[in-house]
Amino acid sequence: MATYEVPIICTISTTKRIEAESKEEAIQKFYDEGETDVMFLDHRYPDMGDWEVDEEYENDEEIK
């Protein structure tokens, strides 16, 4: 019987705890530090795109 690798897509989100003086500084530190690693339960790393800050969070003036 043939074996097929079927590409599947899953959208995920997470948070990253960053010490900073302001929300803007925390966002900049996130971009400076690089991406957050994600591992499947079988210890494989998924082939994923780049992480980016949630646009709603970044543009919300009330979130400090």
Side-chain angles (χ1 to χ4, degrees):
M1 183 179 309
T3 302
Y4 298 88
E5 289 198 22
V6 180
I8 56 176
I9 298 172
C10 177
T11 302
I12 63 170
S13 64
T14 189
T15 60
K16 186 171 185 175
R17 197 172 300 245
I18 299 174
E19 288 187 25
E21 296 293 325
S22 67
K23 179 177 79 168
E24 291 77 16
E25 182 183 347
I27 291 170
Q28 186 59 51
K29 280 185 172 185
F30 161 74
Y31 283 117
D32 291 345
E33 290 175 6
E35 299 181 352
T36 300
D37 291 330
V38 174
M39 184 188 299
F40 290 135
L41 292 176
D42 63 0
H43 302 285
R44 290 183 298 125
Y45 289 94
D47 181 15
M48 59 187 187
D50 296 331
W51 287 97
E52 57 188 50
V53 175
D54 183 280
E55 190 175 304
E56 187 175 320
Y57 173 83
E58 190 169 7
N59 295 328
D60 189 344
E61 296 296 324
E62 293 185 20
I63 299 175
K64 302 286 185 215

